[in-house]
Structures are given as C-alpha cells and as structure tokens.
Amino acid sequence: MELIANVLAVFFLLAGVTFMLVGSIGINRFPDVYCRAHAATKVDTLGIMLFVLGLVFFTGLSITSLKLILVAIFVSLTSPVAAHALTRRALLHGVKPWTKK
Amino acid sequence: MTQNPGTEQVQTGFFKKYRGLLLQALVLMALWLILSGRFYFEPIFYGAVSVALVVWLNSKIRHIPLSNGEILTGQRIKILRLLTYIPWLLWQIVMSAFFVAYLTLHPKMPINPMIVRFKSKLPNSLAKVILGNSISLTPGTLTMDIRGDYFTVHAIVDKVEQDLVSGDMESRVGQLYLDSCTPEEMCTDISITKRGLEAKKALQRDEEKK
C-alpha cells in the first residue's frame, strides 16, 4: 500500500516538475508579455497542483495534506488574478501585442 | 446596474434567509480547524469566537454598495450547480495546461494572438469575477479587463477565440445565478482587434461613458 502511494507521489511530483519546467520555457519562448502571461498562468497552475497532489500522496491523509490542498486551492484562485493584473496594466500602459505577420 | 426582476429569489424561512452566513461560518470554521490542527476545547473556542466576529462583519459588508453602486443582495449562487461547475473548471485547467504546453513545445509555435472584446449579460459583479477567473483558467484565453458589461480578453489562437465567443462558458456561469440561459444570448457585441492601441481606446471610451 505504501509502495503504491510512493509510486503515485513520485509520478505526480515528476509530472508537476515537468509542467513547471514547460511553463518556464514558455515564459522565455513566447514573443510578448501577454503570451508569456498565458504560460505563467495556466501551465504553472497545473504544475503546482500536480506537485501538491504528489506531496499529498507522500504524506497520506492528515492535517498536513489538508493544508497542502489549501495551498493548491489558493494558488488556483490567485494565479489568474495576478495574470489579469499584469496584462491589464501592460495594455493600459501601451505595450503592443505581438501579431502574426 | 439593472437587475432582472425575474431573478430575485424569495427569502423565506430561517435557513434560507441566513444560508450564506451559515455556509460562511462552516467554511471559516473548517479553515480554522485545518490551519490549527488541534482538536481540544481552547483552540476551538477561540476559533468559534473569531468566526462569529468575521461572519458578523461580513453580514454588514453585504449591505454596503460596491464602487459601481451595485448591492450584492437578492441574488444567490446555486450551490448544487457550483458543485458541478468546479469539476468542469478543474478539467478545463488540465486541458488548458496541456494546450499551452503543446504550443510552447511546438517548434514553429503556431500562435496567432488577438484581443477579443465582448459584452456579457451576466447578472452581477460576482458572476463577472467568476467568469473572468474562469476565462483565465480555460485554454488559451486570458482576461485583461472588465469594465461594466464589457470583457477584454486576450486569445492566443483562432480556435479558442471561437470557443470563447460561442458563449458556452458564460451560460455555465450564468446558470450559477439564473434559472436558465442559453449560450446564444449571453455573449453579444463581439469585436476582434490585433492592435493594442485600439483595445486601449475602447477601454477608455467605456471609462468616459460611466
């Protein structure tokens, strides 16, 4: 039983780390601030959620895992707000969106 | 801010009248217990006192108008529909992460960004906040601004722009508050631009109108 939990934990941790890496690559690869915000919001949210899920499997069902789930909830609530605040300011400040030629 | 007369819900009975406050107290107490992690008398007692104080303050806050003069009473969120909405949103988060990851890792990066502006018929500010956050979490779209009834959204490829203006998500959010709403009537007055200046000017026009 503990083996299965550990395998699941490692799987989800690796998946989360992969998504966070892809998110970071996206922040560097996308052409302008708006597209970069896409990468920072969506990919990293799922990355952190998977990472936390892996930690939940690692600790088992306890107060600590409930706190970890709270972390995931707050991250998924705040990351779209942060991206919204950044892109809104960028738009009002006159940052030109990149367009396909 | 005009509110539909048909959507006002009748408030009768103790439970229905104070449903929001009771739920709030339950959620806050659960949060307190999780964060404290101790289940004997003293922490629970202090928790109950704090929860009572917060709920009392929040019950006052509900009657203070928002900055646009709207008062958040009269319309309640439908809990059962919220419980079906959250799993759908989680699934959308997974989809969108895979989608943006695909775009990131694609060698040619097939993106075609554009700024979409549309008018939504959602009944109140809370519904608009839910929709704004949901748009940011669904594939390839990002809420840039909400002024009045107008949403300014950044879409990263053509396909997600079509999904957005089809009004599917608006109707899902609308159903949290309204009895029935169809995707066709929720999303109107759509305009697409690729230039940031145009979008900015549209925003400033809205500001002057108010």
Coordinates of all heavy atoms in Angstrom, one line a residue, chain B residues 101-188:
Chain B
A101 N 1.1 24.0 -23.0 CA 2.4 23.3 -23.0 C 2.7 22.8 -24.5 O 3.8 22.9 -24.9 CB 2.3 22.1 -22.1
Y102 N 1.6 22.4 -25.2 CA 1.8 22.0 -26.6 C 2.3 23.2 -27.4 O 3.2 23.0 -28.2 CB 0.5 21.4 -27.1 CG 0.4 21.4 -28.6 CD1 1.0 20.4 -29.4 CD2 -0.4 22.3 -29.3 CE1 1.0 20.4 -30.7 CE2 -0.5 22.3 -30.6 CZ 0.2 21.4 -31.4 OH 0.1 21.4 -32.7
L103 N 1.6 24.3 -27.2 CA 2.1 25.5 -28.0 C 3.5 25.9 -27.7 O 4.2 26.3 -28.6 CB 1.1 26.7 -27.7 CG -0.3 26.6 -28.2 CD1 -1.0 27.9 -27.8 CD2 -0.3 26.6 -29.7
T104 N 3.9 25.8 -26.4 CA 5.2 26.1 -26.0 C 6.3 25.2 -26.7 O 7.3 25.7 -27.2 CB 5.4 26.0 -24.5 OG1 4.3 26.7 -23.9 CG2 6.7 26.6 -24.0
L105 N 6.0 23.9 -26.7 CA 7.0 23.0 -27.1 C 7.0 22.8 -28.6 O 7.9 22.1 -29.2 CB 6.8 21.7 -26.4 CG 7.0 21.8 -24.9 CD1 6.8 20.4 -24.2 CD2 8.4 22.2 -24.6
H106 N 5.9 23.2 -29.3 CA 5.9 23.1 -30.8 C 7.0 23.9 -31.4 O 7.2 25.1 -31.1 CB 4.5 23.6 -31.3 CG 4.2 23.2 -32.7 ND1 4.8 23.7 -33.8 CD2 3.3 22.3 -33.1 CE1 4.3 23.2 -34.9 NE2 3.4 22.3 -34.5
P107 N 7.8 23.3 -32.3 CA 8.9 24.0 -32.9 C 8.6 25.3 -33.6 O 9.3 26.3 -33.4 CB 9.5 23.0 -33.9 CG 9.0 21.7 -33.5 CD 7.7 21.9 -32.8
K108 N 7.5 25.3 -34.3 CA 7.1 26.6 -35.0 C 6.2 27.5 -34.2 O 5.9 28.6 -34.6 CB 6.4 26.2 -36.3 CG 7.4 25.7 -37.4 CD 6.6 25.3 -38.6 CE 7.6 24.6 -39.6 NZ 6.9 23.8 -40.6
M109 N 5.7 27.1 -33.1 CA 4.9 27.9 -32.2 C 3.7 28.5 -32.9 O 3.7 29.6 -33.3 CB 5.7 28.9 -31.5 CG 4.9 29.6 -30.4 SD 6.0 30.7 -29.5 CE 6.9 29.6 -28.4
P110 N 2.7 27.6 -33.3 CA 1.6 28.1 -34.1 C 0.6 29.0 -33.4 O -0.6 28.7 -33.2 CB 0.9 26.8 -34.5 CG 1.1 25.9 -33.4 CD 2.4 26.3 -32.8
I111 N 1.0 30.2 -33.0 CA 0.1 31.1 -32.3 C -0.3 32.3 -33.2 O 0.4 32.6 -34.1 CB 0.7 31.7 -30.9 CG1 2.0 32.4 -31.2 CG2 1.0 30.5 -30.0 CD1 2.6 33.1 -30.0
N112 N -1.4 32.8 -32.9 CA -2.0 33.9 -33.6 C -2.8 34.8 -32.6 O -4.0 34.8 -32.6 CB -2.9 33.4 -34.7 CG -3.4 34.6 -35.6 OD1 -2.9 35.7 -35.6 ND2 -4.5 34.3 -36.3
P113 N -2.1 35.6 -31.8 CA -2.7 36.3 -30.7 C -3.7 37.4 -31.2 O -3.4 38.0 -32.2 CB -1.6 36.9 -29.9 CG -0.4 36.3 -30.4 CD -0.6 35.9 -31.8
M114 N -4.8 37.6 -30.5 CA -5.7 38.6 -30.8 C -6.4 39.1 -29.5 O -6.4 38.4 -28.5 CB -6.7 38.1 -31.8 CG -7.6 37.0 -31.3 SD -8.5 36.3 -32.6 CE -7.3 35.4 -33.4
I115 N -7.0 40.3 -29.6 CA -7.7 40.8 -28.4 C -9.2 40.8 -28.8 O -9.6 41.4 -29.7 CB -7.2 42.2 -28.0 CG1 -5.7 42.1 -27.6 CG2 -8.0 42.8 -26.9 CD1 -5.1 43.4 -27.4
V116 N -10.0 40.1 -28.0 CA -11.4 40.0 -28.2 C -12.1 40.8 -27.2 O -11.8 40.9 -26.0 CB -11.9 38.5 -28.1 CG1 -13.3 38.4 -28.5 CG2 -11.0 37.6 -28.9
R117 N -13.1 41.5 -27.7 CA -13.9 42.4 -26.7 C -15.4 41.9 -26.9 O -15.9 41.8 -28.0 CB -13.8 43.8 -27.1 CG -14.2 44.8 -26.1 CD -13.5 46.1 -26.4 NE -14.1 47.1 -25.5 CZ -15.3 47.7 -25.8 NH1 -15.9 47.5 -26.9 NH2 -15.8 48.6 -24.9
F118 N -16.1 41.6 -25.8 CA -17.5 41.2 -26.0 C -18.3 41.7 -24.8 O -17.7 42.0 -23.7 CB -17.6 39.7 -26.2 CG -17.2 38.9 -25.0 CD1 -18.1 38.6 -24.0 CD2 -15.9 38.4 -25.0 CE1 -17.7 37.8 -23.0 CE2 -15.5 37.7 -23.9 CZ -16.4 37.4 -22.9
K119 N -19.6 41.7 -25.0 CA -20.5 42.2 -23.9 C -21.1 40.9 -23.4 O -21.6 40.1 -24.1 CB -21.5 43.1 -24.5 CG -22.4 43.7 -23.5 CD -23.5 44.6 -24.1 CE -24.3 45.3 -23.0 NZ -25.4 46.1 -23.6
S120 N -21.2 40.8 -22.1 CA -21.8 39.7 -21.4 C -23.0 40.1 -20.7 O -23.2 41.2 -20.3 CB -20.8 39.1 -20.5 OG -21.4 38.1 -19.7
K121 N -24.0 39.2 -20.6 CA -25.2 39.5 -19.9 C -25.3 39.0 -18.5 O -26.4 38.7 -18.0 CB -26.4 39.0 -20.7 CG -26.7 39.9 -21.9 CD -28.0 39.5 -22.6 CE -28.2 40.4 -23.8 NZ -29.1 39.7 -24.7
L122 N -24.2 38.7 -17.9 CA -24.2 38.2 -16.5 C -24.9 39.1 -15.5 O -24.7 40.3 -15.7 CB -22.8 37.8 -16.1 CG -22.2 36.6 -16.8 CD1 -20.8 36.5 -16.4 CD2 -23.0 35.4 -16.5
P123 N -25.6 38.6 -14.6 CA -26.5 39.4 -13.7 C -25.8 40.3 -12.7 O -26.3 41.3 -12.4 CB -27.4 38.4 -13.0 CG -26.7 37.1 -13.1 CD -25.9 37.1 -14.3
N124 N -24.6 39.9 -12.2 CA -24.0 40.7 -11.1 C -22.5 40.6 -11.2 O -21.9 39.9 -11.9 CB -24.6 40.4 -9.8 CG -24.3 38.9 -9.4 OD1 -23.3 38.4 -9.6 ND2 -25.4 38.3 -8.9
S125 N -21.9 41.5 -10.3 CA -20.4 41.6 -10.3 C -19.7 40.3 -9.9 O -18.7 39.9 -10.5 CB -19.9 42.7 -9.4 OG -20.5 43.9 -9.7
L126 N -20.3 39.5 -9.0 CA -19.6 38.3 -8.5 C -19.6 37.3 -9.7 O -18.6 36.6 -9.9 CB -20.4 37.7 -7.4 CG -20.0 38.1 -6.0 CD1 -20.8 37.4 -4.9 CD2 -18.5 37.8 -5.8
A127 N -20.7 37.2 -10.5 CA -20.7 36.3 -11.6 C -19.6 36.7 -12.6 O -19.0 35.9 -13.2 CB -22.1 36.3 -12.3
K128 N -19.4 38.1 -12.8 CA -18.4 38.5 -13.7 C -17.0 38.1 -13.2 O -16.1 37.8 -14.0 CB -18.5 40.0 -13.9 CG -19.7 40.4 -14.8 CD -19.8 41.9 -14.9 CE -21.2 42.3 -15.3 NZ -21.5 43.6 -14.8
V129 N -16.8 38.2 -11.9 CA -15.5 37.8 -11.4 C -15.2 36.4 -11.6 O -14.2 35.9 -12.0 CB -15.4 38.2 -9.9 CG1 -14.1 37.6 -9.3 CG2 -15.4 39.7 -9.7
I130 N -16.3 35.5 -11.4 CA -16.1 34.1 -11.6 C -15.8 33.8 -13.1 O -14.9 33.1 -13.4 CB -17.4 33.3 -11.2 CG1 -17.7 33.5 -9.7 CG2 -17.4 31.9 -11.6 CD1 -18.9 32.9 -9.2
L131 N -16.6 34.5 -14.0 CA -16.3 34.3 -15.4 C -14.9 34.8 -15.8 O -14.2 34.1 -16.5 CB -17.3 35.1 -16.2 CG -17.1 34.9 -17.7 CD1 -17.3 33.5 -18.2 CD2 -18.0 35.8 -18.5
G132 N -14.5 35.9 -15.2 CA -13.1 36.4 -15.6 C -12.1 35.5 -15.2 O -11.2 35.1 -15.9
N133 N -12.2 34.9 -13.9 CA -11.2 34.0 -13.5 C -11.2 32.7 -14.3 O -10.2 32.1 -14.6 CB -11.4 33.6 -12.0 CG -10.5 34.3 -11.1 OD1 -9.7 35.2 -11.6 ND2 -10.5 34.0 -9.8
S134 N -12.5 32.3 -14.6 CA -12.6 31.0 -15.4 C -12.0 31.2 -16.8 O -11.4 30.2 -17.3 CB -14.1 30.6 -15.5 OG -14.7 30.6 -14.3
I135 N -12.2 32.4 -17.4 CA -11.6 32.6 -18.7 C -10.1 32.5 -18.7 O -9.5 31.9 -19.5 CB -12.1 34.0 -19.3 CG1 -13.5 34.0 -19.7 CG2 -11.2 34.4 -20.4 CD1 -14.0 35.3 -20.1
S136 N -9.5 33.0 -17.6 CA -8.1 33.0 -17.5 C -7.6 31.5 -17.3 O -6.5 31.2 -17.7 CB -7.6 33.8 -16.3 OG -7.8 35.1 -16.5
L137 N -8.5 30.7 -16.7 CA -8.0 29.3 -16.5 C -8.4 28.3 -17.6 O -7.9 27.2 -17.6 CB -8.6 28.8 -15.2 CG -8.0 29.3 -13.9 CD1 -8.8 28.9 -12.7 CD2 -6.6 28.9 -13.7
T138 N -9.2 28.7 -18.6 CA -9.5 27.8 -19.7 C -8.5 28.0 -20.8 O -7.9 29.0 -20.9 CB -11.0 28.1 -20.1 OG1 -11.2 29.4 -20.2 CG2 -11.9 27.5 -19.2
P139 N -8.5 27.0 -21.7 CA -7.4 27.0 -22.7 C -7.2 28.3 -23.5 O -8.2 28.7 -24.2 CB -7.8 25.9 -23.6 CG -8.6 25.0 -22.8 CD -9.3 25.9 -21.8
G140 N -6.0 28.9 -23.5 CA -5.6 29.9 -24.4 C -6.3 31.2 -24.3 O -6.1 32.1 -25.2
T141 N -7.0 31.5 -23.2 CA -7.6 32.8 -23.1 C -7.2 33.4 -21.8 O -7.0 32.7 -20.8 CB -9.2 32.7 -23.2 OG1 -9.6 31.7 -22.3 CG2 -9.6 32.5 -24.6
L142 N -7.2 34.8 -21.7 CA -6.7 35.5 -20.6 C -7.5 36.8 -20.4 O -7.5 37.6 -21.3 CB -5.2 35.8 -20.7 CG -4.5 36.3 -19.5 CD1 -4.5 35.3 -18.4 CD2 -3.0 36.6 -20.0
T143 N -8.2 36.9 -19.3 CA -9.0 38.2 -19.1 C -8.1 39.3 -18.9 O -7.2 39.3 -18.0 CB -9.9 38.0 -17.9 OG1 -10.6 36.8 -18.0 CG2 -10.9 39.2 -17.9
M144 N -8.2 40.4 -19.7 CA -7.4 41.6 -19.5 C -8.1 42.6 -18.7 O -7.5 43.3 -17.9 CB -6.9 42.1 -20.8 CG -6.0 41.2 -21.5 SD -5.8 41.7 -23.2 CE -4.2 42.4 -23.2
D145 N -9.4 42.8 -19.0 CA -10.1 43.9 -18.2 C -11.6 43.6 -18.3 O -12.1 43.0 -19.2 CB -9.8 45.2 -18.8 CG -9.9 46.3 -17.8 OD1 -10.5 46.0 -16.7 OD2 -9.5 47.4 -18.0
I146 N -12.3 44.1 -17.2 CA -13.7 44.0 -17.2 C -14.2 45.4 -16.9 O -13.9 46.0 -15.8 CB -14.3 43.1 -16.2 CG1 -13.6 41.7 -16.3 CG2 -15.8 42.9 -16.2 CD1 -14.0 40.7 -15.2
R147 N -14.9 46.1 -17.8 CA -15.5 47.4 -17.5 C -17.0 47.3 -17.7 O -17.4 47.0 -18.9 CB -14.9 48.5 -18.4 CG -13.5 48.7 -18.3 CD -13.1 49.7 -17.3 NE -11.7 49.7 -17.0 CZ -10.8 50.6 -17.5 NH1 -11.2 51.5 -18.2 NH2 -9.6 50.4 -17.2
G148 N -17.8 47.5 -16.7 CA -19.2 47.4 -16.9 C -19.6 46.0 -17.4 O -19.2 45.0 -16.7
D149 N -20.2 45.9 -18.5 CA -20.6 44.6 -19.0 C -19.6 44.1 -20.1 O -19.7 43.0 -20.6 CB -22.0 44.6 -19.7 CG -23.1 44.7 -18.7 OD1 -22.8 44.4 -17.5 OD2 -24.2 45.1 -19.0
Y150 N -18.5 44.9 -20.3 CA -17.6 44.5 -21.4 C -16.4 43.8 -20.9 O -15.7 44.3 -20.0 CB -17.2 45.8 -22.2 CG -18.3 46.2 -23.1 CD1 -19.2 47.2 -22.7 CD2 -18.3 45.7 -24.4 CE1 -20.2 47.6 -23.6 CE2 -19.3 46.1 -25.3 CZ -20.3 47.0 -24.9 OH -21.2 47.4 -25.7
F151 N -16.1 42.7 -21.5 CA -14.9 41.9 -21.2 C -13.8 42.1 -22.3 O -14.2 42.1 -23.5 CB -15.2 40.4 -21.1 CG -15.8 40.0 -19.9 CD1 -17.1 40.4 -19.6 CD2 -15.2 39.2 -19.0 CE1 -17.8 40.0 -18.4 CE2 -15.8 38.8 -17.8 CZ -17.1 39.2 -17.5
T152 N -12.6 42.4 -21.9 CA -11.5 42.4 -22.9 C -10.6 41.2 -22.6 O -10.1 41.0 -21.5 CB -10.7 43.7 -22.7 OG1 -11.5 44.8 -22.7 CG2 -9.7 43.8 -23.8
V153 N -10.5 40.3 -23.6 CA -9.9 39.0 -23.4 C -8.8 38.8 -24.5 O -8.9 39.2 -25.6 CB -10.9 37.9 -23.6 CG1 -10.2 36.5 -23.4 CG2 -12.0 38.0 -22.5
H154 N -7.6 38.3 -24.0 CA -6.5 38.0 -25.0 C -6.6 36.5 -25.3 O -6.6 35.7 -24.4 CB -5.2 38.3 -24.3 CG -4.0 38.1 -25.2 ND1 -3.3 37.0 -25.2 CD2 -3.5 39.0 -26.1 CE1 -2.3 37.2 -26.1 NE2 -2.4 38.4 -26.6
A155 N -6.8 36.2 -26.6 CA -6.9 34.8 -27.1 C -5.7 34.5 -27.9 O -5.2 35.4 -28.6 CB -8.1 34.7 -27.9
I156 N -5.1 33.3 -27.7 CA -3.8 33.0 -28.3 C -3.9 32.4 -29.6 O -3.0 32.5 -30.4 CB -3.0 32.2 -27.3 CG1 -1.5 32.4 -27.5 CG2 -3.3 30.8 -27.2 CD1 -0.6 32.0 -26.4
V157 N -4.9 31.6 -30.0 CA -5.1 31.1 -31.3 C -6.6 31.3 -31.8 O -7.4 31.6 -30.9 CB -4.7 29.6 -31.5 CG1 -3.3 29.4 -31.2 CG2 -5.6 28.8 -30.6
D158 N -6.8 31.1 -33.1 CA -8.2 31.4 -33.6 C -9.2 30.5 -32.9 O -10.4 30.9 -32.6 CB -8.2 31.2 -35.1 CG -7.2 32.0 -35.8 OD1 -6.1 31.6 -35.9 OD2 -7.6 33.1 -36.2
K159 N -8.9 29.2 -32.7 CA -9.9 28.3 -32.3 C -10.4 28.6 -30.9 O -11.6 28.5 -30.7 CB -9.2 26.9 -32.2 CG -10.2 25.8 -32.0 CD -9.5 24.4 -31.8 CE -10.4 23.5 -31.0 NZ -10.6 23.9 -29.6
V160 N -9.5 29.1 -30.0 CA -10.0 29.4 -28.6 C -10.9 30.6 -28.7 O -11.8 30.8 -27.9 CB -8.9 29.6 -27.6 CG1 -8.1 28.3 -27.5 CG2 -8.0 30.7 -28.0
E161 N -10.6 31.5 -29.6 CA -11.5 32.7 -29.8 C -12.9 32.3 -30.1 O -13.9 32.8 -29.6 CB -10.8 33.6 -30.8 CG -11.6 34.9 -31.1 CD -12.6 34.8 -32.2 OE1 -12.3 34.1 -33.2 OE2 -13.7 35.3 -32.1
Q162 N -13.0 31.3 -31.1 CA -14.3 30.9 -31.4 C -15.1 30.2 -30.3 O -16.2 30.4 -30.0 CB -14.2 29.9 -32.6 CG -14.0 30.6 -33.9 CD -13.2 29.6 -34.9 OE1 -13.2 28.4 -34.7 NE2 -12.7 30.2 -35.9
D163 N -14.3 29.4 -29.5 CA -14.9 28.8 -28.3 C -15.4 29.8 -27.3 O -16.5 29.7 -26.7 CB -13.9 27.9 -27.6 CG -13.6 26.6 -28.4 OD1 -14.3 26.4 -29.4 OD2 -12.7 25.9 -28.0
L164 N -14.6 30.9 -27.2 CA -14.9 31.9 -26.2 C -16.2 32.7 -26.6 O -17.1 32.8 -25.8 CB -13.8 32.9 -26.2 CG -14.0 34.1 -25.2 CD1 -13.9 33.6 -23.8 CD2 -12.9 35.1 -25.4
V165 N -16.3 33.1 -27.9 CA -17.5 33.9 -28.3 C -18.7 33.0 -28.5 O -19.8 33.5 -28.7 CB -17.2 34.7 -29.5 CG1 -16.1 35.7 -29.2 CG2 -16.9 33.9 -30.7
S166 N -18.6 31.7 -28.5 CA -19.8 30.8 -28.6 C -20.6 30.9 -27.3 O -21.8 30.6 -27.4 CB -19.4 29.4 -28.8 OG -18.8 28.8 -27.6
G167 N -20.0 31.5 -26.2 CA -20.8 31.7 -25.1 C -21.1 30.5 -24.2 O -21.9 30.6 -23.3
D168 N -20.4 29.4 -24.4 CA -20.6 28.2 -23.7 C -20.3 28.4 -22.2 O -21.1 28.1 -21.3 CB -19.7 27.1 -24.2 CG -19.9 25.8 -23.4 OD1 -21.0 25.4 -23.1 OD2 -18.8 25.2 -23.1
M169 N -19.2 29.1 -21.9 CA -18.8 29.3 -20.5 C -19.7 30.3 -19.8 O -20.0 30.2 -18.7 CB -17.3 29.7 -20.4 CG -16.8 29.6 -19.0 SD -15.1 29.4 -19.0 CE -14.6 30.7 -20.0
E170 N -20.0 31.4 -20.6 CA -20.9 32.4 -20.0 C -22.2 31.7 -19.5 O -22.7 32.1 -18.5 CB -21.3 33.5 -21.0 CG -20.3 34.5 -21.1 CD -19.4 34.2 -22.3 OE1 -19.0 33.1 -22.4 OE2 -19.0 35.2 -23.0
S171 N -22.7 30.8 -20.4 CA -24.0 30.2 -20.0 C -23.8 29.3 -18.7 O -24.7 29.3 -17.9 CB -24.6 29.4 -21.1 OG -23.9 28.3 -21.4
R172 N -22.6 28.7 -18.6 CA -22.4 27.9 -17.5 C -22.3 28.7 -16.2 O -22.8 28.4 -15.2 CB -21.1 27.1 -17.6 CG -21.2 25.9 -18.5 CD -19.9 25.2 -18.7 NE -19.9 24.3 -19.8 CZ -20.2 23.0 -19.6 NH1 -20.5 22.5 -18.4 NH2 -20.2 22.2 -20.6
V173 N -21.6 29.9 -16.3 CA -21.5 30.8 -15.2 C -22.9 31.4 -14.9 O -23.3 31.5 -13.7 CB -20.4 31.9 -15.4 CG1 -20.4 32.8 -14.3 CG2 -19.1 31.2 -15.6
G174 N -23.6 31.7 -16.0 CA -24.9 32.3 -15.8 C -25.9 31.4 -15.0 O -26.7 31.8 -14.2
Q175 N -25.7 30.1 -15.3 CA -26.6 29.1 -14.7 C -26.3 29.0 -13.2 O -27.2 28.5 -12.4 CB -26.4 27.8 -15.3 CG -27.3 27.6 -16.6 CD -26.9 26.4 -17.4 OE1 -26.1 25.6 -17.0 NE2 -27.6 26.3 -18.5
L176 N -25.2 29.5 -12.7 CA -25.0 29.5 -11.3 C -25.9 30.5 -10.6 O -26.2 30.4 -9.4 CB -23.5 30.0 -11.0 CG -22.4 29.1 -11.5 CD1 -21.1 29.7 -11.1 CD2 -22.5 27.7 -10.8
Y177 N -26.4 31.5 -11.3 CA -27.3 32.5 -10.7 C -28.7 32.5 -11.3 O -29.7 32.7 -10.6 CB -26.7 33.9 -10.9 CG -25.6 34.2 -9.9 CD1 -24.3 34.0 -10.3 CD2 -25.8 34.7 -8.7 CE1 -23.2 34.2 -9.4 CE2 -24.8 34.9 -7.8 CZ -23.5 34.7 -8.1 OH -22.5 34.9 -7.3
L178 N -28.8 32.3 -12.6 CA -30.1 32.3 -13.3 C -30.7 30.9 -13.4 O -29.9 29.9 -13.4 CB -29.9 33.0 -14.6 CG -29.2 34.3 -14.7 CD1 -29.0 34.8 -16.1 CD2 -30.0 35.4 -13.9
D179 N -32.0 30.9 -13.6 CA -32.6 29.6 -13.7 C -32.3 28.9 -15.1 O -32.0 27.8 -15.2 CB -34.1 29.7 -13.6 CG -34.5 29.9 -12.2 OD1 -33.8 29.4 -11.3 OD2 -35.5 30.7 -11.9
S180 N -32.3 29.7 -16.1 CA -31.9 29.2 -17.4 C -31.3 30.3 -18.3 O -31.7 31.4 -18.2 CB -33.2 28.7 -18.1 OG -34.0 29.8 -18.5
C181 N -30.3 29.9 -19.0 CA -29.8 30.8 -20.0 C -29.1 30.0 -21.1 O -28.5 29.0 -20.8 CB -28.8 31.8 -19.4 SG -27.5 31.1 -18.5
T182 N -29.2 30.5 -22.3 CA -28.6 29.7 -23.5 C -27.4 30.4 -23.9 O -27.2 31.6 -23.7 CB -29.6 29.7 -24.6 OG1 -30.0 31.1 -24.9 CG2 -30.9 28.9 -24.3
P183 N -26.4 29.6 -24.5 CA -25.2 30.2 -24.9 C -25.3 31.4 -25.9 O -24.6 32.3 -25.9 CB -24.4 29.1 -25.6 CG -25.0 27.9 -25.0 CD -26.4 28.2 -24.7
E184 N -26.4 31.3 -26.8 CA -26.5 32.3 -27.8 C -26.8 33.7 -27.3 O -26.3 34.7 -27.8 CB -27.7 31.9 -28.8 CG -27.4 30.7 -29.7 CD -27.5 29.4 -28.9 OE1 -28.3 29.4 -27.9 OE2 -26.9 28.4 -29.3
E185 N -27.6 33.8 -26.2 CA -28.0 35.1 -25.8 C -27.0 35.8 -24.9 O -27.1 36.9 -24.6 CB -29.4 35.1 -25.2 CG -29.4 34.3 -23.9 CD -30.8 34.2 -23.3 OE1 -31.8 34.4 -24.1 OE2 -30.9 34.0 -22.1
M186 N -26.0 35.0 -24.4 CA -25.2 35.5 -23.3 C -24.1 36.5 -23.8 O -23.7 37.4 -23.2 CB -24.5 34.4 -22.5 CG -25.4 33.6 -21.7 SD -26.4 34.6 -20.6 CE -25.2 35.0 -19.4
C187 N -23.6 36.2 -25.0 CA -22.4 36.8 -25.5 C -22.7 37.6 -26.7 O -23.0 37.1 -27.8 CB -21.3 35.7 -25.8 SG -19.7 36.4 -26.1
T188 N -22.7 39.0 -26.6 CA -23.1 39.8 -27.8 C -22.0 40.9 -28.0 O -21.1 41.1 -27.2 CB -24.4 40.5 -27.5 OG1 -24.4 41.1 -26.2 CG2 -25.6 39.5 -27.5

